[in-house]
Amino acid sequence: MPSPDADQHTRYLNTLVFPALAWAAVRFRQVGAATAGLFIAAVVVWATARGQGPFAGSSLTQGLLLSQAFAGVLIATGLFLLAALTAERDQATRLLDATFERLPVGLVLLNPDLTLRRGSRNAERLLGVQLTPGLAARTLVRRLQMTDLAGRPWPAEGTQMLAATRRSDASHGEVAITRYATGEPVRLEYWAVPVHDNGRLAALAVLFHDVTELRRAEADRERLLGRLLRLQQDERRQLAVGLQREVVHGLAATLTRLDGLQERLPDGDDRTRRSLGRAGEALNHSLQATRRLIFGLRPPLLDTQGLVAAINQQLSKVTVETGVQTDLRWRGHERLDGALEATAFRAVQEALANVVQHANASRLLVTGHVTDGLLAVEVIDDGTGYTPATQEQVPGDGHLGMRTMSEWVQLAGGSLQVRSAPAAGTIVSINLPIRPRP
C-alpha cells in the first residue's frame, strides 16, 4: 500500500494537468482544450482500469469513481476556460465593431488570400463602393480604377504590394482612384499593416484617408512659391540691369572725365591734381563695389550658362580674394528651373560668404548632383568649425545669413542643414525639389 508521502506526491502530480490544460486552451483555443481534456481523461481511466496511476485503490469500482470525478473536474475546468476565452473574444469583437464605426479614416481587413473580410462604414464612404465580405482585392482595385501617382494601372502592382506587405511589417504610399459611386477622382494615402495571431498571418489591415484637398493645396502652394521666387529673381535681374545701365555707366563716364581733366591740368597745379586723384579713387572704389553688388544680385553666368558655371565663378572669386584652395565636383550639367537655380546659387553664395568671414579655412569643396527628384548640394570646408546648436553665425557685409537663407530654401520646398563641430570644419547641405523648366 502506498505511503502517505507517496499519496501526497501523487496528488501534487495530479494538479500539473491543470496548467497544461490552460496552456492548451490559450495556445490552441477550443480544439486544443477539448483534445487535451479528452486525452488526459482517457489516460486516467485506462491507467486506473489497469490498477495503475494515482486513482488505483483497493477496488476497481472505487478507482473508476475517483477517475470519473477527476475527469468531471477536468472537463468543468476546460468549460470555464472556454467560457472565459469566448467572453474575451466577444468583448474584443464588440470593441472592434465600435472601432470600425468610430474611426475617422477608412479601414479594410483582408484575409490572407487577399479577399475582403470586412470594411468600415467610413471606408465605404471614401471609396464609394459597398464592401461585401469575400470580394477579391484585385476586383476592388479594378472597380476603383486604381493607379499610382504616375497614372499607371495599379492592379498587378497593388496585389504584389499587398502580398509583400504580408511578409513585412507595414507598407505606406499613395494611390489615385475614381470614386465608384460618383466617378470623382480621389487621392488616398494608405498604410497596410499585417495582423498576426500566434505567429501566423491572420489578416491584412489597410487604413486610408482622403488627401485630395491637401495635395491640391500643396500644389497651389508650390505654384505660388514658384511665382514668388521668379518674381524675386526678376526684380533682382531688373535691379542689376538698372544699376549696370545707370550707375555703373555713369560712374565709368565720370572717371573718364576726371582722367581727361587731369591730363589738361597745368604741370604746376599739383594740389588740384591730388584732389582729382582722390576723387577718382573714391569713384573707382564705388564702381567696383557697385559691380560686386550687381554680381551678388544676379550673376550674368547664372542666366547664360546656368548654376554650375555661376558656382564655379564664385569659387574662383573666393580663391582670388582669399587664397583658399577651392574645388567643384558636380555630376551632370543639365539646366534646371530658373527659380530653383537662383535659390540654390543664393544658398551656396551665402555658405561661401560664411566660410570666408568665419571659418579660417584653407580648403573649400562644393559638390552637387541630382537624385530622386532632388538637387543636393554640399559646401564643405576644413575650417575652425562651431557648434550649430549653440552658436549662430552673425551675418555681415549685407549677407542674409544662414538662418534667413534656410527659411528661403524651406519656402522653396527644400531643406538646409549645417553639420559642424569645433576644429572639425563645417558641412552645409542644401536639398531642393526639382521642378520642370517653364
Side-chain angles (χ1 to χ4, degrees):
M1 187 171 183
S3 66
D5 291 339
D7 291 340
Q8 186 177 9
H9 182 66
T10 300
R11 286 195 294 271
Y12 289 153
L13 289 177
N14 294 343
T15 61
L16 293 180
V17 300
F18 294 101
L21 182 63
W23 174 83
V26 174
R27 178 66 177 83
F28 300 106
R29 304 302 173 97
Q30 292 90 336
V31 175
T35 303
L38 180 62
F39 176 76
I40 294 172
V43 170
V44 168
V45 172
W46 175 82
T48 303
R50 294 174 62 88
Q52 299 176 358
F55 301 106
S58 57
S59 68
L60 178 60
T61 302
Q62 182 182 5
L64 289 176
L65 287 174
L66 288 174
S67 64
Q68 288 177 358
F70 176 76
V73 173
L74 191 67
I75 293 172
T77 303
L79 289 175
F80 283 130
L81 285 172
L82 292 178
L85 289 174
T86 301
E88 181 183 359
R89 184 188 63 184
D90 292 342
Q91 182 181 7
T93 301
R94 288 193 297 271
L95 289 175
L96 181 60
D97 291 338
T99 302
F100 260 70
E101 297 303 325
R102 296 175 184 174
L103 273 178
V105 298
L107 174 59
V108 169
L109 285 180
L110 298 175
N111 294 312
D113 61 353
L114 298 181
T115 58
L116 183 66
R117 176 177 292 186
R118 65 178 300 180
S120 68
R121 185 180 303 173
N122 202 28
E124 292 184 338
R125 182 185 62 82
L126 288 172
L127 301 177
V129 65
Q130 185 176 1
L131 298 175
T132 306
L135 180 67
R138 183 181 291 271
T139 301
L140 181 62
V141 166
R142 283 199 302 267
R143 188 174 296 177
L144 297 173
Q145 302 177 38
M146 192 175 294
T147 66
D148 61 16
L149 298 185
R152 294 185 294 267
W154 205 68
E157 293 82 0
T159 304
Q160 292 170 6
M161 183 279 300
L162 294 175
T165 304
R166 294 186 303 173
R167 300 187 297 270
S168 61
D169 293 331
S171 179
H172 170 252
E174 290 188 19
V175 293
I177 70 166
T178 300
R179 190 166 283 154
Y180 189 70
T182 62
E184 176 188 3
V186 178
R187 189 163 166 178
L188 299 177
E189 183 179 22
Y190 69 86
W191 292 264
V193 182
V195 180
H196 296 280
D197 182 19
N198 292 325
R200 63 181 183 86
L201 181 68
L204 186 65
V206 182
L207 296 94
F208 53 90
H209 67 122
D210 189 346
V211 294
T212 307
E213 294 300 326
L214 175 62
R215 297 297 179 256
R216 186 177 294 128
E218 289 176 348
D220 291 341
R221 174 181 175 273
E222 290 292 325
R223 284 193 293 269
L224 288 174
L225 286 175
R227 289 183 59 188
L228 175 63
L229 292 172
R230 289 188 182 90
L231 286 173
Q232 183 205 39
Q233 297 308 319
D234 289 342
E235 289 177 354
R236 284 177 170 271
R237 188 185 298 107
Q238 293 173 6
L239 180 58
V241 170
L243 288 173
Q244 178 70 31
R245 183 174 58 245
E246 303 295 338
V247 180
V248 171
H249 289 173
L251 290 174
T254 303
L255 279 172
T256 302
R257 293 191 187 96
L258 283 177
D259 290 339
L261 286 175
Q262 285 183 319
E263 291 177 359
R264 290 194 296 271
L265 283 175
D267 292 338
D269 197 352
D270 294 336
R271 182 177 180 181
T272 304
R273 190 181 300 278
R274 285 194 299 271
S275 297
L276 290 176
R278 287 194 294 271
E281 290 176 359
L283 285 173
N284 186 63
H285 177 76
S286 298
L287 177 61
Q288 298 304 320
T290 304
R291 285 174 173 163
R292 287 195 297 270
L293 177 61
I294 292 173
F295 182 85
L297 285 171
R298 186 77 184 187
L301 278 180
L302 191 59
D303 291 321
T304 58
Q305 299 185 34
L307 177 62
V308 180
I311 292 177
N312 194 37
Q313 185 183 38
Q314 188 75 11
L315 287 174
S316 300
K317 183 181 174 207
V318 170
T319 299
V320 170
E321 293 179 354
T322 65
V324 175
Q325 183 179 350
T326 61
D327 188 16
L328 176 63
R329 301 176 187 174
W330 201 280
R331 288 186 294 177
H333 296 274
E334 65 274 11
R335 292 298 304 271
L336 304 172
D337 173 71
L340 172 67
E341 289 191 337
T343 303
F345 175 78
R346 197 69 53 205
V348 171
Q349 187 182 43
E350 188 58 44
L352 295 180
N354 237 34
V355 173
V356 171
Q357 294 173 23
H358 305 288
N360 193 26
S362 60
R363 295 175 63 87
L364 178 59
L365 170 65
V366 176
T367 67
H369 64 280
V370 174
T371 177
D372 295 332
L374 286 176
L375 170 63
V377 183
E378 286 191 337
V379 180
I380 306 169
D381 70 73
D382 64 349
T384 55
Y386 69 106
T387 305
T390 59
Q391 178 180 342
E392 181 177 344
Q393 298 285 3
V394 181
D397 296 337
H399 290 287
L400 293 175
M402 294 303 296
R403 183 173 181 179
T404 304
M405 183 50 61
S406 176
E407 294 174 356
W408 270 106
V409 171
Q410 290 176 7
L411 281 176
S415 63
L416 187 149
Q417 296 179 339
V418 179
R419 290 171 288 164
S420 184
T426 302
I427 301 176
V428 178
S429 300
I430 305 158
N431 293 286
L432 288 164
I434 293 177
R435 302 182 183 90
R437 296 190 68 188

